[in-house]
Amino acid sequence: MGASIYDPEDLRRVAVRIASEAAALLRDYACDREYTRGVGGETIVADRVAEDYIIDSLRGEGLRVRGVSEERGYFGDGDLVVVIDPLDGSSNYSNCISWASVSIAFALGNRLSDVIAGSVAPVFFGHPISFSRGHGCYEGEVRVEPSPNTRMVFAYAEDPTIASKLLEFIKGMGGNVKIRGLGSAALEIASVALGRAALFVDARSRLRNVDVAASVGIIRECGGEAYNAQGEPLEARLDEVVVVGDVIASLDRNLALTLISKTFKAKNP
């Protein structure tokens, strides 16, 4: 990549290519018991295979990176930061459910707000969704201009009070809104960024920086925002794997902030 190594658009193309190749690899191994075998915690063999492929491919590009990945944690000593989720939706993948993705994000600093390019590649079907800061959002290699869809919401909640308030808010949106929780946060946030759903809400306080770095970059470049439960733009460090907490994302910033004010009061006394 030469002198243009830190050009966001060049980095976007690298993220798309490597994430798509890793997704194809995972697709080849789907439903194979050897690759869906657990190797500790929620990790399966396929997680490690995809992660090794991504890191080897980055080295093959001549990129000196440091960063975080789901399985290795912090690694490297380069001046370009990479955030890797080799398989978002491992439980789906392990059970032959075709909703999972590979995420790669590049940053020029150690904060989520420093991410300048990234890609979320579906494992089973569809084109990679990507962005580069200042150059727009893409599905495949087609630049898209999203507009919000108010007919669907991706939602996750475990606290009964939050779940009840969330359901009440969604019913108040009208228009027979459908609620879905499909099991790959990165792919769902990226789908919201393309205007295929109105909101993404995860109120379980479980999501990590590796889960959302690429997709949060996408929704911000598409004109939306991702917030925490306090209504602040989502932020996190990128020098270790950390929990980012609750995540609320939408192209319609007013809708997201209204939901937060009405739904998360129990968490924000």
Side-chain angles (χ1 to χ4, degrees):
M1 297 172 63
S4 62
I5 189 169
Y6 297 122
D7 178 77
E9 186 60 9
D10 284 344
L11 292 174
R12 181 189 72 82
R13 293 190 182 101
V14 169
V16 167
R17 182 168 64 254
I18 296 176
S20 297
E21 290 171 356
L25 185 69
L26 289 168
R27 190 160 57 248
D28 288 342
Y29 296 145
C31 303
D32 185 320
R33 290 185 179 180
E34 172 58 29
Y35 291 93
T36 59
R37 176 173 54 84
V39 290
E42 297 182 359
T43 300
I44 61 175
V45 171
D47 285 293
R48 292 184 176 175
V49 169
E51 185 174 83
D52 288 345
Y53 181 88
I54 291 167
I55 292 174
D56 288 345
S57 296
L58 290 170
R59 289 171 178 159
E61 291 287 333
L63 296 174
R64 291 187 62 253
V65 296
R66 71 180 190 275
V68 290
S69 62
E70 184 177 36
E71 305 307 321
R72 297 192 187 196
Y74 187 80
F75 68 94
D77 59 1
D79 50 2
L80 177 65
V81 176
V82 64
V83 185
I84 300 167
D85 190 346
L87 178 54
D88 183 26
S90 296
S91 294
N92 285 350
Y93 185 86
S94 296
N95 290 286
C96 297
I97 297 171
S98 55
W99 184 260
S101 62
V102 177
S103 296
I104 301 174
F106 289 111
L108 295 182
N110 287 322
R111 307 294 292 175
L112 186 60
S113 55
D114 296 322
V115 171
I116 63 167
S119 177
V120 176
V123 170
F124 293 100
F125 57 87
H127 298 292
I129 303 167
S130 63
F131 89 101
S132 60
R133 185 175 293 179
H135 296 272
C137 300
Y138 294 79
E139 186 173 22
E141 283 304 310
V142 177
R143 184 169 177 173
V144 295
E145 296 292 341
S147 58
N149 178 334
T150 60
R151 298 294 183 180
M152 186 177 295
V153 171
F154 297 117
Y156 300 83
E158 293 175 338
D159 181 290
T161 300
I162 296 296
S164 177
K165 289 180 176 294
L166 180 57
L167 180 59
E168 181 181 352
F169 180 87
I170 293 171
K171 285 182 176 179
M173 291 171 61
N176 195 27
V177 176
K178 305 296 184 182
I179 303 173
R180 297 289 184 268
L182 303 180
S184 173
L187 201 48
E188 288 157 41
I189 294 171
S191 295
V192 172
L194 293 185
R196 291 176 181 158
L199 283 160
F200 172 89
V201 185
D202 193 312
R204 300 172 299 173
S205 297
R206 290 184 186 175
L207 292 177
R208 303 157 300 168
N209 50 1
V210 292
D211 298 317
V212 302
S215 57
V216 166
I218 292 169
I219 200 163
R220 286 173 172 167
E221 183 64 24
C222 287
E225 186 56 273
Y227 298 96
N228 61 24
Q230 289 72 46
E232 303 161 339
L234 192 70
E235 186 61 283
R237 59 193 299 177
L238 301 179
D239 55 357
E240 63 178 312
V241 177
V242 297
V243 173
V244 299
D246 299 323
V247 178
I248 303 92
S250 180
L251 289 175
D252 186 336
R253 299 180 185 215
N254 183 63
L255 179 66
L257 290 171
T258 302
L259 179 146
I260 291 166
S261 68
K262 292 186 175 181
T263 303
F264 288 87
K265 289 180 180 178
K267 287 193 173 186
N268 305 320

